[in-house]
Amino acid sequence: MQYRNLGRTGIKVSPYALGAMMFGAVGNTDHDESVKIIHKALDAGINFIDTADAYSHGESEEIVGKALKGRRDGVVLATKVHLPMSDDPNHRGNSRRWIIAEVENSLRRLGTDYLDLYQIHRPDPETDVEDTLAALTYLISSGKVRAIGSSTMPAADIVQAQWVAERRGLERFRVEQPPYSILNRGIERDVLPVAQQYGMGTLVWSPLAGGLLTGRYRKGQGNDTHRAQYGFAHLRDEQRLDVVEQLIPVAQDAGVPLNHLAMAFAIAHPGVTSAIIGPRTMEHLDSALAGVEVALTDDVLDRIDAIVPPGTDIGRLDMAYDPPAIQQPLLRRRPAEQRAAA
């Protein structure tokens, strides 16, 4: 396994990161098997693990904590905060109050006294980013966190956070975690260049486009899989399925499975540090690890570009972030009486 610089943090991480979202109630409920999956990934040279407090409501962090007993020092451990953890309206978001409280819960569940990377799971328009950065700065100065990051932030928000950190003398986001795959290349236009400009590492999620690039989902076929049972709309997106059908021959001509093509594509971009694999079973992990030596030629990358042009999104991911200006009609529509030109 080769290792890459995580931005300018000085931390070295593997190009494949182990995502822990599928460990726990929403995925693999067998803790012992999940621990074995984690251990096998570590034995294969993966040294980067990403989880979140909200994954199976803390259960994922507990499983990761069990797996890291006796192996903590050899792992770059990342978790996240933001999503709701109870019905209490203050047990969520990016407020100073919640961040400082919830980091203690994550540390307890993970069985560690520090985090290598603590990430804001989603932007929070209701919280001043200065308050968020101030809380994270405190956690770094107290020794509980080594580096901080954001996730699924629009490029403008990344720039704003960098400016606020510089003006206020606060710690700045060192890592961004955006969605990125052959089907979702929008971040190539702005997020990746901005991250590179500020020396940020990028830990991309869903490089298999939510399962579509595994080859298990085909147009006109029933998709009776674990993910399909949860009703992910992107698995039925005809536009995305059409592109998958075009990519399958590209993978075949390259002599690799579709999932290996997708992973190799994600880590080939110079702005990408690591891509997250999220196995639920040992079979899923074995399949991912079998592709670690795949490197795509320029000819193959050119064929992919011809199918999905750089900077283009095909449909969207179910869990992608839309800012208020997209979600709220009142922010993108003038009052009816003001819409005419005359």
Side-chain angles (χ1 to χ4, degrees), residues 36-282:
K36 290 177 182 177
I37 293 171
I38 295 170
H39 285 171
K40 186 165 187 177
L42 298 179
D43 292 342
I46 292 176
N47 75 338
F48 200 2
I49 297 180
D50 175 76
T51 185
D53 57 353
Y55 293 165
S56 293
H57 204 71
E59 188 180 2
S60 171
E61 288 184 328
E62 292 173 355
I63 292 170
V64 171
K66 292 177 183 178
L68 294 189
K69 288 181 179 178
R71 306 187 68 161
R72 174 68 182 90
D73 289 345
V75 173
V76 178
L77 179 59
T79 193
K80 299 183 284 293
V81 62
H82 169 84
L83 299 179
M85 290 298 286
S86 80
D87 293 334
D88 189 316
N90 288 312
H91 288 181
R92 67 194 70 191
N94 301 346
S95 70
R96 186 190 314 232
R97 181 181 191 271
W98 178 236
I99 289 170
I100 291 176
E102 180 62 357
V103 73
E104 300 295 342
N105 296 326
S106 286
L107 290 171
R108 172 179 48 79
R109 289 188 291 259
L110 288 163
T112 185
D113 57 3
Y114 73 98
L115 299 169
D116 295 289
L117 176 62
Y118 200 35
Q119 303 159 104
I120 299 302
H121 209 150
R122 289 290 186 276
D124 183 358
E126 296 181 352
T127 302
D128 193 323
V129 71
E130 182 176 342
D131 281 351
T132 299
L133 290 172
L136 295 170
T137 298
Y138 166 75
L139 295 181
I140 289 178
S141 65
S142 66
K144 295 176 181 179
V145 172
R146 301 292 187 257
I148 58 174
S150 53
S151 178
T152 321
M153 266 198 174
D157 289 21
I158 295 174
V159 172
Q160 181 189 17
Q162 295 287 328
W163 285 354
V164 169
E166 182 178 353
R167 287 200 305 268
R168 302 302 187 190
L170 300 171
E171 294 286 345
R172 63 189 183 90
F173 289 133
R174 299 286 185 167
V175 180
E176 163 61 12
Q177 185 177 143
Y180 182 57
S181 72
I182 296 174
L183 300 184
N184 289 84
R185 303 183 61 176
I187 65 168
E188 293 174 344
R189 289 185 174 273
D190 45 25
V191 170
L192 287 179
V194 165
Q196 289 175 285
Q197 178 182 352
Y198 286 105
M200 299 172 69
T202 51
L203 171 61
V204 301
W205 58 270
S206 203
L208 300 183
L212 277 173
L213 296 176
T214 61
R216 289 180 291 158
Y217 301 92
R218 301 292 299 273
K219 189 171 183 179
Q221 298 181 11
N223 295 318
D224 186 20
T225 67
H226 180 82
R227 284 179 179 267
Q229 292 171 10
Y230 280 86
F232 288 117
H234 71 275
L235 299 177
R236 301 184 300 275
D237 188 318
E238 291 294 318
Q239 186 180 10
R240 293 166 74 85
L241 289 169
D242 284 340
V243 173
V244 170
E245 295 300 320
Q246 296 176 61
L247 290 170
I248 288 173
V250 177
Q252 291 172 341
D253 291 346
V256 297
L258 183 60
N259 65 321
H260 293 176
L261 180 88
M263 289 298 300
F265 168 85
I267 64 172
H269 194 290
V272 171
T273 308
S274 297
I276 295 174
I277 58 171
R280 180 173 54 87
T281 67
M282 191 68 77

Side-chain angles (χ1 to χ4, degrees), residues 314-325:
I314 306 298
R316 55 158 293 170
L317 294 177
D318 292 346
M319 295 177 287
Y321 171 75
D322 282 329

Side-chain angles (χ1 to χ4, degrees), residues 19-37:
M21 187 176 74
M22 299 308 294
F23 301 144
V26 302
N28 192 331
T29 58
D30 186 329
H31 285 208
D32 290 338
E33 183 183 2
S34 297
V35 167
K36 290 177 182 177
I37 293 171

